[in-house]
Amino acid sequence: MTLAVEVEIPQKTFPLALFIAVIFTCVSYLIPLFAVTGAVSVDQSEWEIGFNAQAAEIIAGKWLKIWIKIGAALSAIGLFEAQLSSSAYQVEGMAEIVILPKLFGLRSRWFNTLWLGIWIYCRGWPNWGAQAVGASKR
């Protein structure tokens, strides 16, 4: 089972959603880039991780730097949640095709979430796979 089960008309909805996501992603990168390159004359060697927050402080003051850092933190939380949700579905799929016991496909009665899949992922499921691959190459 995939996320497509939970979407009405996935053949039409997914391509449109992906197209809109690509447009929003491009715009969300280009607008700050144009704003910073147009407002701040800084050598390219100074552009490092977190430079947009520094540039925001130069342009508008400390308040904008703080808000950019808050936005970056919220974005990281959102990315983690998206990864967590998709990984929980992978665990459920493996339980459906009997790679894992059926227990791993159980859903919560209260929220209908894949609680065991989420718990396993939070406990380090990706690391287990990486360790197994590393061990097999020895």
Side-chain angles (χ1 to χ4, degrees):
M1 180 168 35
T2 65
L3 290 172
V5 174
E6 299 181 4
V7 178
E8 292 181 23
I9 317 168
Q11 301 87 348
K12 184 178 180 182
T13 306
F14 277 153
L16 178 62
L18 289 173
F19 177 74
I20 292 171
V22 167
I23 298 298
F24 275 124
T25 302
C26 290
V27 169
S28 71
Y29 275 96
L30 290 175
I31 289 176
L33 178 67
F34 292 154
V36 170
T37 56
V40 179
S41 62
V42 177
D43 188 60
Q44 268 189 335
S45 63
E46 295 181 32
W47 283 64
E48 298 174 347
I49 294 175
F51 179 75
N52 277 349
Q54 294 171 349
E57 185 176 22
I58 293 168
I59 296 168
K62 189 121 179 125
W63 69 272
L64 186 57
K65 179 180 182 177
I66 291 169
W67 278 108
I68 286 180
K69 287 186 174 186
I70 290 170
L74 293 174
S75 174
I77 291 168
L79 288 170
F80 174 74
E81 175 57 34
Q83 179 65 41
L84 182 70
S85 299
S86 64
S87 295
Y89 279 102
Q90 289 175 350
V91 172
E92 182 190 34
M94 287 188 272
E96 284 182 2
I97 60 174
V98 197
I99 292 175
L100 293 173
K102 291 282 185 192
L103 170 73
F104 290 89
L106 291 179
R107 289 179 174 258
S108 164
R109 288 188 193 136
W110 192 330
F111 297 109
N112 197 31
T113 55
L114 299 162
W115 68 272
L116 191 55
I118 292 170
W119 184 82
I120 288 170
Y121 186 76
C122 287
R123 299 297 302 161
W125 174 277
N127 294 333
W128 296 343
Q131 289 170 359
V133 169
S136 68
K137 290 185 178 181
R138 291 182 193 166

